[in-house]
Amino acid sequence: LDKARGRAQYELGVSLTAVTGMANLAPEHFAWKSWWDVKKDVWEPKDAPKKDDKTKKKKGKKDEEEKDPGERMGSVVRFHGIPIHSLRLTFCQDVSGGMKNPVGGRDSDTPAKLVISKQELEKVLTGVDEAAYVNLLYFATFYYKCAPSPVPVKKARKALIAYNKKQDIPDKRGHGRSNLYDTIAFAISQPDIDSVYLLTEGGPTEGKYLETDRFMRHLKRLNVYYRVRVYTLLMGTSRSGAKFLEEVAKSTGAKFYD
């Protein structure tokens, strides 16, 4: 823990909490060393609860976030309410035709989905740690990248924010579809990336693979050595889209949010 940062630090905290049951300690070296100096002679490990233990309370998403070790690290930047722990990450933002619809439904007077999602992304870019390396991808029928590879936030924060502001839904005919596979494939293959946050309003309608089984099979194969976690967010009500995005997240060891 004394050298770990970002996702590695967070995951070490999760593991230590699971092993010791100490849910009130931040994933920081000083906190755990101080605890161990006091408890090392008296602490005894306990058996982990069995997966089929019916007495175990089923946690909802809110409960999971409340007990997230990363929440005890102090100020945590959030993307649509999701805590960001990584310092090597890429955001994939949907700019397909469906993102022009109001976030509250077609007949509402609420802002467009793309307006809200870009505002949330700007908040993250404004508050993310300057030690982070970030890239931005925007996708419809094709994907567009801010940079060939992740850039240091310390030097490129203003450029990242400016690039996000100017993105919009393509106005060319046939360019408003949703290419998920090609976007994710590029995102996870970037050097030194460990986390991807993908926001979309549904499943794929364009790209190398569209059928769910083929998509997942090739994604898993591609990610065998990259080991990147793809967190997925659904900005819509599509049940098929939710099921698909949940499978993407699950296949990479990440979480799905709606």
Side-chain angles (χ1 to χ4, degrees):
L1 272 177
D2 58 335
K3 296 181 179 179
R5 295 293 181 271
R7 184 180 127 184
Q9 180 183 8
Y10 165 70
E11 292 184 349
L12 282 171
V14 171
S15 297
L16 287 169
T17 297
V19 170
T20 64
M22 294 299 298
N24 62 333
L25 290 181
E28 296 175 352
H29 177 258
F30 175 78
W32 282 98
K33 185 178 186 304
S34 298
W35 175 81
W36 184 246
D37 287 343
V38 174
K39 297 291 186 179
K40 62 183 179 181
D41 293 328
V42 296
W43 180 76
E44 294 183 2
K46 298 180 180 179
D47 292 335
K50 297 180 179 179
K51 292 183 178 181
D52 59 351
D53 187 353
K54 296 182 179 180
T55 64
K56 185 179 178 181
K57 180 183 176 182
K58 186 177 181 180
K59 300 188 182 76
K61 292 180 181 177
K62 184 176 180 182
D63 294 319
E64 289 177 354
E65 288 190 6
E66 288 177 350
K67 296 185 178 183
D68 189 337
E71 296 297 299
R72 299 185 292 279
M73 294 175 67
S75 178
V76 177
V77 176
R78 292 176 175 272
F79 181 53
H80 292 271
I82 304 167
I84 303 292
H85 302 296
S86 173
L87 293 177
R88 298 290 185 272
L89 63 159
T90 288
F91 294 95
C92 300
Q93 170 66 58
D94 188 350
V95 291
S96 65
M99 293 298 289
K100 67 183 177 183
N101 295 325
V103 69
R106 291 181 181 273
D107 298 327
S108 71
D109 58 357
T110 54
K113 295 177 182 179
L114 183 58
V115 172
I116 298 298
S117 58
K118 285 173 60 179
Q119 288 175 349
E120 287 294 315
L121 183 50
E122 182 171 341
K123 291 179 184 178
V124 175
L125 297 174
T126 300
V128 71
D129 196 309
E130 66 176 17
Y133 279 70
V134 173
N135 203 357
L136 306 176
L137 299 182
Y138 299 82
F139 64 93
T141 300
F142 305 98
Y143 68 84
Y144 312 87
K145 53 185 180 290
C146 178
S149 60
V151 295
V153 170
K154 185 175 183 179
K155 295 182 178 179
R157 192 187 302 273
K158 290 183 179 180
L160 289 165
I161 293 174
Y163 189 84
N164 177 60
K165 285 183 176 180
K166 71 179 184 179
Q167 299 308 308
D168 206 346
I169 296 169
D171 55 8
K172 291 184 179 180
R173 186 180 181 86
H175 282 222
R177 298 173 69 79
S178 183
N179 187 337
L180 292 184
Y181 185 83
D182 295 347
T183 303
I184 295 175
F186 175 82
I188 67 176
S189 64
Q190 297 174 101
D192 300 322
I193 282 291
D194 61 36
S195 301
V196 169
Y197 291 82
L198 181 141
L199 183 148
T200 181
E201 54 95 32
T205 56
E206 187 63 68
K208 190 172 183 179
Y209 303 111
L210 298 178
E211 194 271 325
T212 301
D213 289 341
R214 291 191 68 197
F215 189 111
M216 299 305 166
R217 184 168 66 252
H218 286 279
L219 175 59
K220 290 177 182 178
R221 183 182 300 169
L222 181 63
N223 202 33
V224 165
Y225 298 109
Y226 293 129
R227 309 290 291 178
V228 175
R229 292 191 175 180
V230 182
Y231 297 86
T232 56
L233 299 85
L234 176 66
M235 202 170 198
T237 58
S238 169
R239 292 184 179 180
S240 60
K243 184 177 180 180
F244 181 87
L245 294 174
E246 186 172 13
E247 185 66 23
V248 170
K250 182 180 178 181
S251 71
T252 64
K255 293 182 180 180
F256 161 72
Y257 300 87
D258 56 8

